[in-house]
Amino acid sequence: MTAAKLRRDIAATIAKLAARGLYFGTAGNISARTATGFLITPTGIPSEDIRPADMVAVDMRGRHKGKLLPSSEWHFHRAIYRDRADVKAIVHTHSTFATVMSCLRRDIPGFHYMVAKAGGPAIRCARYATFGTEALARNAVAALGRRRACLLANHGLIAAGPTLAAARRLAEEVEALCEQYWAALAIGRPVLLPSAEMTRVVVKFRSYGRQPKTD
Ligand SMILES: [Zn+2]
């Protein structure tokens, strides 16, 4: 995929998340891996004003090209790309319900089988660190492990995937799960699925939705 196409795809991802109310103002950032590093949304520009040309190329040593500065959270994007060869795109939002749960600093347990879509029996909440720091990058990598999503304490969510579309859809799903978990906690005590069942569903999701190859 060309860099020009990736730039357009990042802009389209912002528009889709913004249309659902999950991405607003200067909160959140999105990146996609390139041959030499990654393209990431710029810092300080409101999401509705970001154009494809504004995405900033950052290499794996953290050097950027162009006149715009990359999102202040480029550290955790780089750390995740370094740690995970399978990750090609990362979406970070301050969407409301994920942020609410992150402020409670609690993992999202297996209250619903869809939690396993993020790659584990729970969606972990990373330890708190100041935004834009290497400490936050380390905490995010630790919370993600081999999974595809995590919360960041008192901050928001991270969703990672093999494509921008996959990372965006997972961010939308994690936000929906956080809202559902909040609602369940508000009126009672959610019944958690047994860990054996969550393990079974994690395995099932690895092959779910794949169409059989026709050639
Ligand atoms: Zn943030």
Side-chain angles (χ1 to χ4, degrees), residues 81-159:
Y81 289 127
R82 267 189 180 154
D83 190 55
R84 296 280 299 274
D86 59 313
V87 170
K88 307 283 195 253
I90 297 167
V91 167
H92 165 59
T93 73
H94 296 184
S95 53
T96 300
F97 288 95
T99 303
V100 165
M101 285 300 159
S102 82
C103 294
L104 302 182
R105 298 194 183 184
R106 53 163 89 184
D107 297 350
I108 307 301
F111 78 101
H112 190 295
Y113 77 91
M114 282 289 284
V115 166
K117 189 99 185 273
I123 299 167
R124 290 186 286 236
C125 183
R127 289 174 55 202
Y128 181 79
T130 308
F131 81 95
T133 60
E134 281 293 336
L136 180 60
R138 283 193 297 277
N139 295 351
V141 164
L144 267 183
R146 297 296 102 189
R147 301 176 190 180
R148 290 185 293 277
C150 69
L151 302 182
L152 300 177
N154 305 82
H155 187 155
L157 73 78
I158 292 176

Side-chain angles (χ1 to χ4, degrees), residues 166-201:
R168 172 183 55 79
R169 281 194 294 269
L170 185 56
E172 292 167 355
E173 283 157 354
V174 171
E175 172 66 7
L177 286 165
C178 287
E179 182 172 4
Q180 291 154 6
Y181 188 46
W182 162 80
L185 286 173
I187 58 167
R189 186 180 295 185
V191 176
L192 301 186
L193 294 166
S195 63
E197 173 62 5
M198 288 305 285
T199 303
R200 190 155 45 233
V201 179

Side-chain angles (χ1 to χ4, degrees), residues 22-30 41-42 45 47 50 71 73 77 91-94 155 157:
L22 306 186
Y23 199 96
F24 37 82
T26 56
N29 35 75
I30 297 174
T41 45
I45 300 181
S47 55
I50 298 177
S71 162
E73 296 293 15
H77 289 258
V91 167
H92 165 59
T93 73
H94 296 184
H155 187 155
L157 73 78

Side-chain angles (χ1 to χ4, degrees), residues 193-213:
L193 294 166
S195 63
E197 173 62 5
M198 288 305 285
T199 303
R200 190 155 45 233
V201 179
V202 167
V203 172
K204 208 169 157 72
F205 267 129
R206 285 193 197 129
S207 58
Y208 170 80
R210 267 185 222 150
Q211 298 289 349
K213 287 211 168 83

